[in-house]
Amino acid sequence: MSSVRPWRDIERRKSRQIMVGNVPVGGDAPITVQTMTNTPTEDVAATIDQIRRCEEVGADIIRVSCPTEESTANFDQITRAANVPIVADIHFHYKRALEAADKGAACLRINPGNIGSSDRVAEVVRAAKANGCAIRIGVNAGSLEKDLLEKYGEPCPEALIESALDHIKLLQDHDFHEYKVAVKASDVFLAVAAYHGLAEAVDCPLHLGITEAGGLIGGTVKSSIGIGSLLWAGIGDTIRVSLSAEPEQEVKVGFEMLKALGLRTRGVRVVSCPSCSRQGFDVIRTVEALEKRLEHIKTPMSLSVLGCVVNGPGEARETDIGLTGGGNGKHMVYLSGVKDHHIENEDMLDHIVRLVEEKAAAIDAGNATAFDPHAVAAE
């Protein structure tokens, strides 16, 4: 059956599926959202607290750096406390990978080329197999092997891909196949080209990211261009948005990307205008307040908040709940795309929050469904 709106369709690249703990990655599994803690891993309580906050905003997988022997000493306390799979981030010290695997890591993030000799790679693979760990091969433009830099002259897509294929061979030589691969760069063009080339060369799941993307605004823009274009092309099975910001923000941005492309749904999708002098209420402050007060909603649904009747009614027809600014402090409220009643300024915020919470509860109880104007039109 052909799609009613083919311009909305994304055909995902076919990859084989691996398991990261109890979370499937690749194949037809939902694209997962990852982040990484920035607390000292040795501080178990602080790390668990941060993991909990990331879980609350929807993180599917969380990575924890293991740079020292002290960081893995109590790693089992972290993996036991987490409700999502924990990836141990390993560089150079192969023994940290062995310790993390024994203490509950669901995945080991390694660069096989900097782990050391083939014997050390073999030890890491044995530990991964014995503990049911997956492995993520992490190639980064900033840490390419010297021989590849000499061969190509600079980090380029071909160099990243060759590095990834060399590392894959190291694992395959030890009969290990539960791996996913990333070829990251801070240069959007370089990263995107490398991922496109790698997607054609391998069948394993791909972990997407624009590394060292920057702060909350700049990094979100760069990541959205890079990761978003790849996802739109059907490439990618798990994503991490790398921001110089708290990890919870990375998760939120990642989900917003997936929501914008219709690849995942979680929580309230807000449609709002930038506002102008026509606005019947303070749109910017209203949206800020609503986003904060509705963070606890995990049920997928939509809310439009527009300041006037130019586009307000049209957007409201597309959402579960719509708020459109009117004159004299009286605003129109739409339910499932239909104008339903008016609300005044002083009651507006509490009223909209209550409507969203009631609709979410009804959906969760099976007494309602999220409004889909496209399904209505298709009928």
Side-chain angles (χ1 to χ4, degrees):
M1 181 178 175
S2 61
S3 172
V4 174
R5 292 176 178 81
W7 40 270
R8 298 177 68 93
D9 295 344
I10 294 177
E11 184 178 349
R12 281 182 67 185
R13 160 185 171 269
K14 290 179 173 59
S15 71
R16 56 189 175 81
Q17 189 174 98
I18 67 170
M19 296 298 296
V20 177
N22 60 355
V23 174
V25 176
D28 59 356
I31 296 167
T32 54
V33 177
Q34 304 193 25
T35 188
M36 186 173 182
T37 57
N38 57 26
T39 54
T41 307
E42 297 84 357
D43 189 339
V44 171
T47 301
I48 291 173
D49 284 346
Q50 193 170 70
I51 287 171
R52 199 70 73 230
R53 293 196 297 274
C54 294
E55 290 172 342
E56 281 295 311
V57 295
D60 299 300
I61 298 170
I62 297 175
R63 182 156 42 116
V64 176
S65 182
C66 297
T68 65
E69 190 172 353
E70 291 74 24
S71 68
T72 54
N74 298 305
F75 196 69
D76 52 338
Q77 294 182 29
I78 294 171
T79 57
R80 285 200 304 267
N83 297 310
V84 299
I86 298 298
V87 178
D89 190 77
I90 310 295
H91 284 284
F92 306 114
H93 304 290
Y94 79 103
K95 287 186 178 179
R96 303 293 85 79
L98 308 183
E99 293 156 3
D102 286 340
K103 293 192 174 184
C107 181
L108 305 173
R109 187 278 188 199
I110 64 171
N111 183 329
N114 70 27
I115 287 294
S117 66
S118 179
D119 288 342
R120 289 184 174 181
V121 173
E123 281 197 61
V124 172
V125 169
R126 279 195 294 271
K129 285 183 175 179
N131 292 280
C133 290
I135 288 178
R136 172 163 81 86
I137 295 170
V139 175
N140 194 302
S143 56
L144 276 172
E145 296 90 324
K146 288 182 180 178
D147 63 316
L148 290 176
L149 287 175
E150 290 174 2
K151 177 179 177 179
Y152 290 100
E154 65 176 1
C156 61
E158 294 79 10
L160 268 68
I161 294 166
E162 184 170 333
S163 177
L165 295 177
D166 288 345
H167 295 154
I168 287 171
K169 187 176 185 303
L170 280 175
L171 297 187
Q172 290 180 335
D173 286 347
H174 295 290
D175 195 30
F176 190 87
H177 307 281
E178 294 300 300
Y179 58 82
K180 51 196 173 84
V181 184
V183 280
K184 294 186 179 182
S186 59
D187 182 303
V188 174
F189 297 95
L190 174 55
V192 170
Y195 274 112
H196 273 282
L198 187 63
E200 294 180 0
V202 299
D203 70 344
C204 63
L206 298 183
H207 170 116
L208 301 188
I210 304 299
T211 195
E212 287 97 39
L216 182 58
I217 295 178
T220 293
V221 172
K222 281 182 68 175
S223 296
S224 297
I225 293 169
I227 298 174
S229 68
L230 289 164
L231 292 171
W232 201 336
I235 296 170
D237 304 287
T238 185
I239 66 173
R240 189 257 172 123
V241 179
S242 298
L243 301 176
S244 299
E246 292 305 316
E248 302 96 302
Q249 298 295 338
E250 295 186 349
V251 178
K252 291 177 183 178
V253 172
F255 263 102
E256 288 300 325
M257 283 186 202
L258 295 176
K259 284 160 67 175
L261 291 168
L263 294 168
R264 286 284 294 272
T265 54
R266 183 187 191 276
V268 182
R269 177 177 63 86
V270 177
V271 177
S272 60
C273 67
S275 80
C276 69
S277 62
R278 289 190 301 265
Q279 63 183 348
F281 57 87
D282 188 336
V283 173
I284 293 173
R285 247 53 66 186
T286 298
V287 171
E288 286 176 350
L290 287 171
E291 286 183 335
K292 187 171 184 61
R293 291 183 61 177
L294 296 174
E295 276 190 341
H296 65 291
I297 303 292
K298 298 177 176 61
T299 310
M301 57 185 300
S302 54
L303 167 67
S304 59
V305 181
L306 283 94
C308 78
V309 295
V310 172
N311 292 320
E315 294 293 350
R317 284 196 294 269
E318 303 276 316
T319 53
D320 286 282
I321 295 164
L323 174 66
T324 295
N328 301 318
K330 294 187 70 173
H331 316 299
M332 295 162 281
V333 176
Y334 294 72
L335 302 180
S336 297
V338 178
K339 183 177 175 182
D340 191 82
H341 59 275
H342 288 84
I343 187 71
E344 297 188 4
N345 271 342
E346 56 269 24
D347 304 315
M348 184 174 65
L349 276 176
D350 289 342
H351 184 69
I352 296 299
V353 170
R354 185 169 65 253
L355 288 176
V356 171
E357 290 177 335
E358 289 173 352
K359 180 69 180 276
I363 292 171
D364 291 343
N367 298 323
T369 57
F371 180 58
D372 183 356
H374 304 295
V376 172
E379 291 174 2

